Amino acid sequence: MSPWESYQMQHSRRTFLGRTSAGMGTLALGALLQPSLFAAGASDADSVPQWNGVVQPLHFPPKCKRVIHLCMAGGASHLETLDYKPKLAELDGQPMPKSFTDGQQIAQLQGQRDKLKCLGPTHAFQKFGESGQQISSILPHIGSIADDICIINSMQTDQINHDPAHTLMNTGTSIPGRPSMGSWLLYGLGSDSQDLPGYVVMTSVGGGQSQPIASRQWHSGFLPSQFQGVEFRSKGDPVLYVNSPGGVALKQQREVIDAVQQLNRLGNEKFHDPEIATRISQYELAFKMQTSVPDLMNIAGEPKHILEMYGTEGGDGSFASNCLLARRLAERGVRFIQLYHRGWDHHGDIKNGAAVTAKLVDQGSAALVKDLKQRGMLDDTLIIWGGEFGRTPMAQGTGRDHHIKAFSTWLAGGGIQGGITYGASDELGYAAVDKITHVNDLHATMLAQFGIDHEKLTYRFQGRDFRLTDVHGHVVQDILV
């Protein structure tokens, strides 16, 4: 047995941690970000530098620094929210013209093609702001920011079921295992935060069927795992084991981590394993999070009028509370923030369901835009609001089925024009017909606002250069400032 093998048996990291009073807490803390691989070529275990991204210099001048993605999971109906269709209202209850549906992909309604009937918008629309944008009456708070948002009514996707549609929205393809858009952004640019993850995810629920969201939606795929998203719990402790164990002072915790890091470095000197270098980096971030996370969650200093604007006291697990935390994360340099609200899947009783779900997300969404604007942060923060697909203009009983040919989203800040509606669907809201915008186009436009050419941000894997937009995508120039 070699001296190193003997040393390993007697002084392994597991043995060391097991004999340390704070061992299990430190182990859990070190595993928070599930480290695997660091950047390609990382080998110096004594000093793992802050990742500053591979796009150096930027391809063109950037317009924003961060993204907040407000994901309306389940497929928010464009016909109940952002796409006004008076003709559909006229045809309510009448047979759906076959010229729209013949030969088209339909989800659960596919066996009822001869019985399809139009379902008119279940809520009135009205004009908001000086721009006069048409927005549903169930979104009055979003209506109040009509002049700050760009509504895209010509979105399309390729996937008609929830999980693959989420995968496409997050990764640019329906093939599992590809990096999420937040991971691509971190890989390209790095993070501005020194003591928080660069990619944070939070979820809330309510108002309709709560489709599950798999954690692989914010995974780094074949990119180094340093770039994957970290889920914060929206109620209670946002990160488990972030606090020191009882009776263990921060100084003792520091000593334990220093000792573990020394063992890690000994291992790296022997094996030159980039996974060890990543672990060293993530232990340091996890230690810093012991201070930064409690500070993030302490909203005692937030003025009363801010809490009232969001409609939350904070820490209640609501979408509004998560929106407030998103602003605080943005202030602290987090690059990509993703808020899922699981409650937009309305196959039945869409009239009541859409109203309930809208009430849960409307105020927080608008408050986030207003709050960032008054702090001078909206100009360099890109907000994306929307689901993975839309809903059918045909009735599914009292609800609507999944729909991929047309849906709506809105963008704000980050160099996007406010007060405009871009693109259009046909008179029944079935298919996008003007300025069609695919999910890949949304990704290309997002990267462009960060100064990145989406065709040049690539990663070589299994003999091929991959990118977020795959072999598709174009920048939607008409919506840019």
Side-chain angles (χ1 to χ4, degrees), residues 8 69 78 96 99 111 136 143 252 272 310-311 323 343 358 381 390 401 419 442 453 459 465 471 479:
Q8 277 191 307
H69 182 203
H78 55 302
M96 184 73 182
S99 59
S136 174
Q252 293 173 292
H272 303 289
Y310 281 92
C323 284
T381 303
D401 201 358
L442 181 66
D453 183 337
Y459 188 89
D465 289 334
V471 296
I479 69 173

Side-chain angles (χ1 to χ4, degrees), residues 220-277:
S220 57
F222 49 68
L223 290 176
S225 63
Q226 166 188 8
F227 305 116
Q228 71 185 33
V230 177
E231 185 177 5
F232 278 19
R233 300 193 307 168
S234 57
K235 192 173 183 179
D237 290 337
V239 180
L240 297 177
Y241 310 111
V242 76
N243 295 313
S244 296
V248 178
L250 201 62
K251 181 176 181 294
Q252 293 173 292
Q253 194 84 352
R254 176 74 266 178
E255 291 172 350
V256 170
I257 291 176
D258 286 344
V260 172
Q261 299 292 57
Q262 290 176 21
L263 290 173
N264 278 327
R265 292 184 180 106
L266 285 172
N268 197 57
E269 288 172 5
K270 176 70 176 180
F271 299 108
H272 303 289
D273 184 355
E275 181 180 355
I276 300 175

Side-chain angles (χ1 to χ4, degrees), residues 321-338:
S321 176
N322 289 350
C323 284
L324 176 57
L325 288 176
R327 190 220 78 208
R328 294 172 65 85
L329 287 165
E331 287 179 312
R332 288 158 174 78
V334 176
R335 178 75 70 189
F336 196 93
I337 304 159
Q338 199 166 37

Side-chain angles (χ1 to χ4, degrees), residues 460-471:
R460 195 157 189 83
F461 177 68
Q462 293 185 341
R464 177 190 161 189
D465 289 334
F466 286 87
R467 68 183 203 227
L468 173 59
T469 52
D470 198 33
V471 296

Side-chain angles (χ1 to χ4, degrees), residues 39 49-60 185-192 227 335 450-453 456-458:
Q50 173 85 3
W51 178 262
N52 294 316
V54 297
V55 184
Q56 296 183 4
L58 295 175
H59 302 137
F60 27 79
L185 203 56
L186 274 190
Y187 173 67
L189 297 179
S191 175
D192 288 335
F227 305 116
R335 178 75 70 189
F450 284 87
I452 298 174
D453 183 337
K456 295 180 179 178
L457 178 58
T458 63

